[in-house]
């Protein structure tokens, strides 16, 4: 039963020989409603179709082969849809003829597997074309009410594409509001459960750690004009507003590496031109709001259509790689600062002194946090304990791993470890240099008139960063395999983040954008997997789409200033473990990562994925190497003085996929390695049929 899809209906095929008949008698019956017939099937599935064939034993007819043929026909998606809609006998006969036209009878031969499929590829293409033409003609006819709806259809959605242009100003924004806000009450109800509470605790630490880390770096780059306090306030206030108003509340907004690169470059420019840095950011914020309004009014988010999985995979893989690299880089700095070996002690007021075991304990805390969290994530789908116990333990895996490692650190009193540095009290990082409000005309001197207009150039760069990161992250969350039901709103979310960015600049707060790794991890934490039969991979049954977790996460980040004393007991190494966990788990499901692993695997062990079956192995590896080369180039640019060119290079991967790669790869190959297809297998009808 676990292998049978929900809402499945059965066909009963009965054949046999009887003595009282002279000629064969056959009946094909479709019931108006499916009926559960006891003692007829081995599994309790309602029956919709019955086929009965009886005849004399001396007939030349092979009853069992005909029964197999009918079973094969009913296992074909196109034929059984025709059986649902058939009004008379001739409709069934026509459907059988179409089935045979799209089938291939293969004589016995020695070729097997991939060699057999390659030998008939050309002929299959013609059959597919003919079948598509027939399906297009059939789609003109109205569907009968007896046809079951597809399980993948979203009953709550209006069926409109969120990226479809309406043709009038702000049409996409209005559509986003109408389509998404009608589900607002369900967004509240769906968030009232233990899994959402556990996810909020987990993502809280995942959001707090970058806020503190990036805040410290921002304070260094801006000489204290913005730092940890400003970033925590920005993450908290904007997070609450966005979660309450967004079309896709599962997005986690925060600060990112590319934005840090921009802040550093703009600060140096302001210093060289003797311009007030924070006032310049105010004018950038004004231009940013203008650019966002123009883009949303013109429904410019339709450009997201051209961001193919080629670019999405490169971006997602790069962000995950940044998290993993950041983890080991920080660990490396600890190893350099505190070499392993010997013993040490802790002074009362002066901090660490001669602490050679710090690096070793930090490594243990980081590895322990990652391994416990990763094990409990796998434990959720294991066979130990009961289902509810496994689910609770799995949902609270991250908080459990953090608690265990903090207790271990607390118990080891003779070794120093670096702790989380949280500011105490609500104040700006440098009270003597600035206040909470930034005057647009300048604080100590009038702001140059020419710079008010020239700020449009850096504002365009900020807009590109926010647009790319927000829209790509939304695309990644909106993929069909994640089975989100309530939809997204590209125009509304972009307007919110851009408008809030202008407000942030007035108060000297950092700009925020949708963060890929944290958002993907957030969705993973809210995902429920279905029960599967032995040997089957778990499938996504449901994702808790709601607004509660985003609001809780933002509030907890804001309360971190109040909970400073408690949070200062958490070792930084524990947060490194969370960084590593987020980076590693975010790689799951990225096809590029799966293809990278296949390079190190012998072809005979490759899984039967579409991009393996439909594309030659060496050409698949070549495509993977092209994507890997793009990642290396982006990484080099990001780490060089030309880091401001990072968003432009990322945009160039779009025309690379659209115009250059088709010159070297067939379109069918590009589609195979960019999408997952569902294969439909059919039984044997006398001989082997290969029907696609």
């Amino acid at each position: 039963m676990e292998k049978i899809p929900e809402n499945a209906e059965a066909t009963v095929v009965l054949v046999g020989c009887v003595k009282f008949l002279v000629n064969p008698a056959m009946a094909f019956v479709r019931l108006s409603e499916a009926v559960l017939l006891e003692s007829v099937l081995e599994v309790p599935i309602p029956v919709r179709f019955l086929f009965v064939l009886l005849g004399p034993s001396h007939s030349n007819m092979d009853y069992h082969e005909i029964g197999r043929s009918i079973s094969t026909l009913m296992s074909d998606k196109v034929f059984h849809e025709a059986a649902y809609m058939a009004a008379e006998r001739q409709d069934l006969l026509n459907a059988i003829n179409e089935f045979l036209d799209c089938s291939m009878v293969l004589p016995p031969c020695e070729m097997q597997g991939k060699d057999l499929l390659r030998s008939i590829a050309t002929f299959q293409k013609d059959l597919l074309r003919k079948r598509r033409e027939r399906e297009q003609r059939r789609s003109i006819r109205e569907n009968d009410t007896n046809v079951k709806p597809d399980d993948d259809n979203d009953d709550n959605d209006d069926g409109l594409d969120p990226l479809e242009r309406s043709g009038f100003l702000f049409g996409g924004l209005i559509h986003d509001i109408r389509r998404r806000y009608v589900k607002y009450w369900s967004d509240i109800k769906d968030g009232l459960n233990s899994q959402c509470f556990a996810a909020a605790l987990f993502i809280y630490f995942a959001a707090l750690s970058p806020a503190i880390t990036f805040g410290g770096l921002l304070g260094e780059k801006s000489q204290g004009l913005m730092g940890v306090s400003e970033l925590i306030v920005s993450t908290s206030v904007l997070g609450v507003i966005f979660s309450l108003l967004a079309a896709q509340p599962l997005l986690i907004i925060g600060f990112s590496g590319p934005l840090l690169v921009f802040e550093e470059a703009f600060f140096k420019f302001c210093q060289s031109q003797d311009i007030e840095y924070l006032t310049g950011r105010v004018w950038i914020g004004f231009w940013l709001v203008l650019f966002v309004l123009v883009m949303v009014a013109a429904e410019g988010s339709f450009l997201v259509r051209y961001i193919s999985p080629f670019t999405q995979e490169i971006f997602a893989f790069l962000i995950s790689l940044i998290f993993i690299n950041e983890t080991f880089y920080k660990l490396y700095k600890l190893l350099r600062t505190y070499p392993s070996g010997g013993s040490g002690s802790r002074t009362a007021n002066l901090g660490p002194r001669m602490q050679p075991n710090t690096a070793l304990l930090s490594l243990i805390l980081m590895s322990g946090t990652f391994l416990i969290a990763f094990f409990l994530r796998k434990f959720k789908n294991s066979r130990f304990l009961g289902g509810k116990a496994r689910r609770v333990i799995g949902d609270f895996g991250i908080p459990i791993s953090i608690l265990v490692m903090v207790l271990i650190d607390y118990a080891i009193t003779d070794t120093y470890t670096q702790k989380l540095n949280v500011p105490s009290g609500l104040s700006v990082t440098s009270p003597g240099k600035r206040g909470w409000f930034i005057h647009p005309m300048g604080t100590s001197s009038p702001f140059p008139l020419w710079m008010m207009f020239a700020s449009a150039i850096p504002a365009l760069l900020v807009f590109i960063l926010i647009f790319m990161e927000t829209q790509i992250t939304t695309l990644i969350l909106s993929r069909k395999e994640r089975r989100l039901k309530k939809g997204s709103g590209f125009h509304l979310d972009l307007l919110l983040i851009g408008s809030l960015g202008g407000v942030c600049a007035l108060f000297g707060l950092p700009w925020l954008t949708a963060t890929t790794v944290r958002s993907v991890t957030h969705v993973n934490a809210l995902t429920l997997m279905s029960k599967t039969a032995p040997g089957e991979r778990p499938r996504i049954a449901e994702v808790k789409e709601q607004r509660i977790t985003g609001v809780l996460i933002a509030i907890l980040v804001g309360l971190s200033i109040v909970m400073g004393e408690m949070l200062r007991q958490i070792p930084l190494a524990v947060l490194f473990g969370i960084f590593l966990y987020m980076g590693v788990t975010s790689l799951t499901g990225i096809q590029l990562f799966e293809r990278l692993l296949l390079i190190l695997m012998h072809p005979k062990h490759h899984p039967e994925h579409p991009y393996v079956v439909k594309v030659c192995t060496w050409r698949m590896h070549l495509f993977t190497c092209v994507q890997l080369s793009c990642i290396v180039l982006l990484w080099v640019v990001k780490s060089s003085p030309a880091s401001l060119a990072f968003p432009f290079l990322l945009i160039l991967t779009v025309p690379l996929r659209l115009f250059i790669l088709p010159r070297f790869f067939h379109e069918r190959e590009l589609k195979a390695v960019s999408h997952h297809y569902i294969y439909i297998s059919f039984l044997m009808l006398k001989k082997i049929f290969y029907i696609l």
Side-chain angles (χ1 to χ4, degrees):
M1 283 298 295
E2 291 178 350
K3 284 184 174 290
I4 298 175
E6 295 182 5
N7 302 321
E9 295 180 344
T11 299
V12 175
V13 179
L14 302 172
V15 298
C17 299
V18 292
K19 296 180 180 180
F20 56 82
L21 285 178
V22 178
N23 297 314
M26 179 176 65
F28 186 84
V29 180
R30 183 185 66 215
L31 303 178
S32 59
E33 295 292 338
V35 177
L36 187 62
L37 302 179
E38 298 182 1
S39 304
V40 175
L41 298 177
E42 296 179 351
V43 287
I45 298 176
V47 175
R48 187 63 176 269
F49 296 93
L50 295 101
F51 175 81
V52 180
L53 172 61
L54 297 176
S57 58
H58 56 77
S59 174
N60 295 327
M61 187 179 296
D62 191 333
Y63 302 118
H64 287 101
E65 288 297 335
I66 292 178
R68 288 178 186 156
S69 300
I70 290 295
S71 300
T72 302
L73 287 169
M74 294 305 294
S75 69
D76 177 36
K77 179 180 179 181
V78 175
F79 182 85
H80 82 241
E81 287 180 354
Y84 272 108
M85 295 186 294
E88 57 184 5
R89 176 176 177 271
Q90 189 60 42
D91 293 337
L92 282 179
L93 296 178
N94 293 337
I96 293 175
N97 289 331
E98 289 188 13
F99 177 89
L100 293 175
D101 288 342
C102 296
S103 304
M104 290 168 30
V105 181
L106 303 179
C109 59
E110 295 182 356
M111 288 192 301
Q112 294 182 357
K114 295 181 180 179
D115 295 333
L116 181 62
L117 290 176
R118 292 193 188 103
S119 66
I120 60 175
T122 304
F123 192 56
Q124 278 184 335
K125 191 180 299 183
D126 294 334
L127 295 180
L128 283 169
R129 179 179 53 80
K130 293 178 181 178
R131 168 165 282 195
R132 280 196 297 268
E133 292 174 355
R134 273 190 283 268
E135 288 178 350
Q136 289 173 0
R137 290 195 297 267
R138 185 185 298 112
S139 65
I140 299 175
R141 296 157 47 187
E142 293 183 356
N143 292 334
D144 189 86
T145 55
N146 290 328
V147 180
K148 289 293 180 180
D150 191 351
D151 290 341
D152 290 335
N153 289 342
D154 184 7
D155 297 333
N156 296 322
D157 205 350
D158 55 10
L160 297 178
D161 187 349
L163 294 176
E164 188 72 30
R165 302 189 73 185
S166 64
F168 55 89
L169 290 179
F170 295 101
L173 175 64
I174 296 172
H175 170 63
D176 288 345
I177 294 174
R178 288 177 176 174
R179 178 173 47 86
R180 195 62 181 84
Y181 281 1
V182 295
K183 304 163 188 173
Y184 205 95
W185 176 238
S186 68
D187 290 339
I188 305 299
K189 292 190 299 181
D190 293 345
L192 303 177
N193 58 75
S194 61
Q195 183 174 3
C196 293
F197 176 69
L201 285 179
F202 162 35
I203 304 299
Y204 159 61
F205 288 103
L208 178 64
S209 179
I212 293 172
T213 304
F214 282 126
L217 293 173
L218 189 59
E220 295 176 7
K221 307 297 184 184
S222 64
Q223 296 183 0
L225 291 178
M226 286 193 301
V228 176
S229 296
E230 288 81 4
L231 193 49
I232 287 180
V233 171
S234 179
T235 303
S236 177
V237 176
L238 269 63
V240 171
I241 297 174
F242 183 82
S243 297
L244 291 175
L245 301 178
Q248 181 49 274
L250 297 184
L251 289 175
I252 300 296
I253 61 173
F255 201 68
S256 65
L259 286 175
L260 178 65
V261 172
F262 169 82
E263 296 284 7
E264 180 183 6
F266 185 68
F267 179 79
K268 290 180 179 179
F269 170 79
C270 292
Q271 276 191 320
S272 64
Q273 300 295 321
D274 195 22
I275 296 173
E276 291 185 359
Y277 165 66
L278 294 179
T279 306
R281 292 183 76 258
V282 172
W283 286 96
I284 291 177
F286 291 160
W287 283 105
L288 175 62
V289 174
L290 177 62
F291 290 153
V292 169
L293 284 174
V294 171
M295 178 65 76
V296 174
E299 300 180 291
S301 291
F302 83 95
L303 295 172
V304 175
R305 291 180 179 276
Y306 299 103
I307 303 178
S308 66
F310 177 83
T311 300
Q312 296 175 37
E313 289 176 355
I314 290 175
F315 183 77
F317 189 91
L318 186 66
I319 297 299
S320 297
L321 204 60
I322 290 174
F323 269 73
I324 296 173
N325 174 75
E326 191 70 19
T327 299
F328 288 103
Y329 175 72
K330 293 181 181 296
L331 184 63
Y332 167 76
K333 290 179 66 175
L334 278 177
L335 292 173
R336 291 292 300 270
T337 307
Y338 307 101
S340 299
S343 60
S345 60
R346 202 192 296 245
T347 60
N349 299 317
L350 301 179
R353 184 184 66 185
M354 298 297 292
Q355 289 294 327
N357 286 331
T358 295
L360 178 60
L361 182 56
S362 299
L363 176 62
I364 293 173
L365 294 176
M366 184 199 78
S367 303
T369 304
F370 169 76
L371 292 175
I372 292 175
F374 195 79
F375 168 77
L376 292 180
R377 183 172 183 261
K378 297 291 184 181
F379 181 81
K380 188 175 180 179
N381 295 320
S382 67
R383 295 190 177 93
F384 297 99
L385 303 180
K388 292 185 179 179
R390 289 200 313 269
R391 193 155 43 248
V392 171
I393 294 174
D395 291 343
F396 288 87
I398 299 296
I400 290 173
S401 64
I402 294 174
L403 179 61
V404 170
M405 290 297 110
V406 169
L407 291 176
I408 290 175
D409 176 74
Y410 184 78
I412 302 176
T413 57
D414 60 348
T415 302
Y416 168 79
T417 53
Q418 288 183 318
K419 300 297 192 298
L420 195 59
N421 185 16
V422 183
S424 56
L426 184 61
S427 64
V428 295
T429 302
S430 301
K433 296 182 179 180
R434 54 159 292 187
W436 277 113
F437 179 77
I438 310 300
H439 199 285
M441 305 308 295
T443 304
S444 58
S445 61
F447 192 71
L449 180 63
W450 67 269
M451 190 59 193
M452 295 179 184
F453 296 95
S455 298
I457 298 176
L460 179 62
L461 180 58
V462 175
F463 171 74
I464 292 174
L465 289 173
I466 291 177
F467 181 85
M468 291 293 289
E469 292 198 52
T470 301
Q471 306 293 46
I472 288 180
T473 303
T474 305
L475 276 177
I476 292 173
L477 296 190
S478 302
R479 284 182 175 176
K480 186 176 181 180
E481 54 264 27
R482 293 194 181 276
R483 300 184 70 84
L484 298 183
K485 298 295 185 182
K486 297 183 180 180
S488 302
F490 292 86
H491 310 85
L492 176 58
D493 291 348
L494 180 63
L495 178 65
L496 281 173
I497 293 179
S499 302
L500 292 174
V503 176
C504 284
L506 277 172
F507 294 95
L509 301 176
W511 295 299
L512 302 184
T513 183
T515 54
T516 305
V517 172
R518 276 160 271 178
S519 300
V520 172
T521 309
H522 185 211
V523 174
N524 291 340
L526 295 171
T527 300
L528 290 174
M529 306 303 291
S530 63
K531 296 181 180 179
T532 58
E536 279 193 343
R537 296 180 63 181
R539 298 187 304 272
I540 295 177
E542 179 192 4
V543 178
K544 297 292 184 181
E545 299 179 67
Q546 36 71 48
R547 300 178 184 270
I548 300 298
T549 54
V551 174
L552 285 178
I553 292 165
I555 292 175
L556 288 174
V557 170
L559 292 177
S560 299
I561 297 178
V562 180
M563 301 184 296
E565 193 60 36
M566 181 177 64
L567 293 174
R568 292 187 192 101
Q569 303 302 317
I570 300 177
L572 277 178
V574 172
L575 298 184
F576 297 166
I578 296 178
F579 263 57
L580 182 60
Y581 174 85
M582 291 170 60
V584 171
T585 54
S586 297
L587 290 174
T588 305
I590 300 178
Q591 192 195 100
L592 171 59
F593 178 68
E594 296 175 358
R595 284 188 272 109
L596 279 174
L597 297 180
L598 295 183
I599 295 178
L600 307 176
M601 191 183 301
H602 194 278
K604 69 179 182 181
H605 299 302
H606 286 181
E608 294 295 324
H609 291 320
Y611 54 85
V612 176
V613 175
K614 302 189 72 172
V615 183
C616 293
T617 302
W618 72 271
R619 294 182 66 82
M620 177 184 67
H621 293 334
L622 178 61
F623 183 85
T624 304
C625 292
V626 171
Q627 286 184 294
L628 189 60
S629 300
C630 294
I631 291 173
V632 172
L633 179 61
L634 287 169
W635 186 275
V636 171
V637 171
K638 182 192 75 69
S639 307
S640 69
S643 54
L644 288 179
F646 174 82
F648 297 106
L649 283 179
L650 183 61
I651 291 176
L652 288 179
T653 59
V654 176
L656 172 65
R657 164 62 180 87
L658 292 177
F659 305 113
I660 298 179
L661 288 184
R663 297 177 179 269
F664 302 95
F665 296 92
H666 298 297
E667 192 62 31
R668 61 179 177 81
E669 293 176 321
L670 293 174
K671 289 182 178 179
V673 294
S674 299
H675 302 278
H676 291 283
Y677 290 94
I678 300 175
Y679 273 73
I680 304 175
S681 301
F682 301 99
L683 302 177
M684 293 176 20
L685 176 60
K686 197 73 173 179
K687 302 295 181 180
I688 302 176
F689 288 99
Y690 281 92
I691 304 160
L692 297 176

